[in-house]
Amino acid sequence: MEIRELTEARVPAVAALERACFSAPWSESSIRSELDNPLSLWLTAEEDGRLLGYVGSQTVLGESDMLNLAVAEDCRRRGVGRALCEALCAALRARGSHGLTLEVRVSNAPARALYEALGFRSVGRRPRYYVRPAEDAELYRREL
């Protein structure tokens, strides 16, 4: 598995995976616009030319926010999400970020377990953060 920065050529595949994984997905044009955003860093995990997953982030004044993390359904539980998170944390740290926050559905036990195993700590809850379906988000943070 190789992890690299998102390129224009990978945007359609990332958008397709976004649609497959989320009930309120980002559009392909929104993802594409992140390539030109100096605050953004998006990484992809690939193997034999296939997109396994991706993670996106934005950083403002040394504080980063993980926007989305998605792994293809048939690639879950293989360390792809962990590798993407670790690579993102390392890259953000190298760029001078001090901390990374993220939101996750309270019902998403596998994702919460992954984030906790990676050293993220729950720092709060955002009521009704998600809309399809309506659900609270658990807010996690990790110092970098």
Side-chain angles (χ1 to χ4, degrees):
M1 175 174 50
E2 292 183 58
I3 296 179
R4 57 181 69 135
E5 286 193 38
L6 176 63
T7 63
E8 171 68 34
R10 275 302 191 202
V11 168
V14 166
L17 185 54
E18 175 85 2
R19 287 188 303 273
C21 292
F22 298 108
S23 62
W26 284 42
S27 69
E28 187 170 323
S29 63
S30 293
I31 294 167
R32 183 172 287 108
S33 72
E34 291 295 290
L35 293 171
D36 297 322
N37 184 342
L39 305 176
S40 294
L41 174 62
W42 287 56
L43 304 175
T44 60
E46 303 173 28
E47 188 173 73
D48 298 325
R50 177 182 177 215
L51 178 71
L52 307 178
Y54 68 89
V55 63
S57 70
Q58 289 184 352
T59 302
V60 176
L61 300 173
E63 291 293 325
S64 300
D65 184 42
M66 184 186 296
L67 304 172
N68 276 346
L69 170 68
V71 175
E73 189 171 359
D74 65 328
C75 298
R76 294 178 186 162
R77 310 291 302 165
R78 290 184 27 205
V80 176
R82 174 180 291 275
L84 283 164
C85 283
E86 289 174 341
L88 180 65
C89 288
L92 291 172
R93 187 180 319 108
R95 292 176 175 207
S97 182
H98 307 290
L100 178 60
T101 58
L102 62 92
E103 292 90 3
V104 63
R105 285 182 180 274
V106 295
S107 65
N108 192 342
R112 293 178 66 184
L114 170 64
Y115 298 136
E116 290 170 8
L118 289 168
F120 287 85
R121 297 293 168 243
S122 175
V123 294
R125 191 169 279 209
R126 298 192 194 275
R128 301 184 62 80
Y129 180 81
Y130 296 102
V131 294
R132 282 183 253 161
E135 186 173 358
D136 292 354
E138 194 73 21
L139 179 63
Y140 282 90
R141 178 173 174 79
R142 175 177 159 182
E143 300 302 318
L144 299 176

